[in-house]
Amino acid sequence: MPVHALFERLFQDYVSIAPQAGEILQLFRARESEVVNDHVAFRTFALPGMRIDDLGAAFTKHGYVKKD
């Protein structure tokens, strides 16, 4: 999956639990020609496949760098 599609999917999941995020995005889009969503924060559990390094692999393979 291309990284832009991954971010879009993550954002849509977020909007499903926090609808105001979609409304805020529309406000930004009304003022800007392009909105780039390139930040995501995860809360994880120490379960196989759900650790931060496991989830982060999808991003690091696209050149993202893990930060504190």
Side-chain angles (χ1 to χ4, degrees):
M1 173 183 305
V3 72
H4 70 277
L6 178 58
F7 276 110
E8 179 62 27
R9 203 157 168 190
L10 289 168
F11 187 74
Q12 291 307 316
D13 285 347
Y14 181 63
V15 168
S16 72
I17 59 172
Q20 67 273 23
E23 297 167 11
I24 292 167
L25 177 62
Q26 292 307 314
L27 291 172
F28 278 118
R29 285 183 172 157
R31 296 185 61 125
E32 300 290 331
S33 59
E34 181 180 11
V35 176
V36 177
N37 185 359
D38 67 351
H39 176 81
V40 63
F42 292 103
R43 306 299 179 261
T44 64
F45 299 97
L47 300 173
M50 294 301 295
R51 293 179 292 255
I52 193 67
D53 289 335
D54 301 327
L55 298 174
F59 297 95
T60 56
K61 77 177 187 179
H62 288 285
Y64 284 82
V65 177
K66 181 180 171 183
K67 300 285 184 175
D68 291 332

